[in-house]
């Protein structure tokens, strides 16, 4: 979004096609580090004034694009994945997993 180049996403997708499941945690840590580095280095004025494109939403200030795009997309995908898992019969997950990312404590007996 910062560079108005959505081709970068395809590069990431292509790179991850060969990723093994056991590499997933390290890849997530790498992405987290990249995001932290970006926000440590980006100029606040740039966030306020640079326009960025959002698919289906036109151009908006970069700060809005960075918040609305990934935040909304990741939230939507997380809930979609949760719903697929529930529909496939996973009875071990519930509302707390979907909304808080935690296993709900079992009910106290007696």
């Amino acid at each position: 979004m910062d560079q108005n180049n959505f081709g970068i996403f395809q590069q990431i997708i292509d790179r991850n096609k060969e990723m093994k499941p056991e590499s997933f945690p390290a890849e997530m840590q790498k992405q987290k580090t990249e995001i932290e580095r970006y926000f440590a280095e980006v100029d606040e004025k740039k966030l306020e004034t640079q326009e960025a494109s959002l698919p289906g939403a036109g151009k908006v200030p970069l700060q809005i694009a960075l918040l609305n795009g990934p935040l909304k997309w990741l939230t939507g995908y997380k809930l979609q994945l949760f719903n697929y898992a529930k529909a496939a019969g996973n009875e071990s997950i519930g509302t707390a997993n979907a909304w808080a990312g935690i296993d709900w404590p079992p009910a106290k007996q007696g």
Side-chain angles (χ1 to χ4, degrees):
M1 291 177 179
D2 180 283
Q3 299 172 15
N4 280 314
N5 178 3
F6 287 99
I8 292 170
F9 290 113
Q10 189 60 52
Q11 293 171 8
I12 294 169
I13 290 168
D14 291 343
R15 183 182 77 213
N16 290 334
K17 283 181 181 177
E18 304 301 320
M19 182 175 58
K20 305 255 186 286
E22 59 271 12
S23 300
F24 184 78
E27 183 62 28
M28 291 294 95
Q29 184 59 48
K30 177 182 173 188
Q31 289 184 27
K32 179 182 179 214
T33 300
E34 290 170 353
I35 291 167
E36 289 171 341
R37 184 179 314 119
Y38 173 81
F39 282 106
E41 296 173 359
V42 70
D43 180 71
E44 194 164 322
K45 188 76 168 167
K46 179 178 184 174
L47 292 172
E48 294 172 358
T49 59
Q50 179 176 319
E51 286 193 331
S53 297
L54 273 179
K59 292 194 177 275
V60 296
L62 181 57
Q63 63 188 0
I64 302 292
L66 289 171
L67 180 66
N68 282 347
L71 180 65
K72 289 179 180 179
W73 297 333
L74 292 174
T75 302
Y77 283 129
K78 178 185 83 165
L79 289 175
Q80 183 179 19
L81 179 61
F82 172 82
N83 287 328
Y84 284 160
K86 287 297 282 187
N90 188 335
E91 296 179 11
S92 68
I93 58 175
T95 303
N97 298 105
W99 292 101
I102 61 169
D103 291 325
W104 195 255
K108 294 182 181 177
Q109 300 295 322

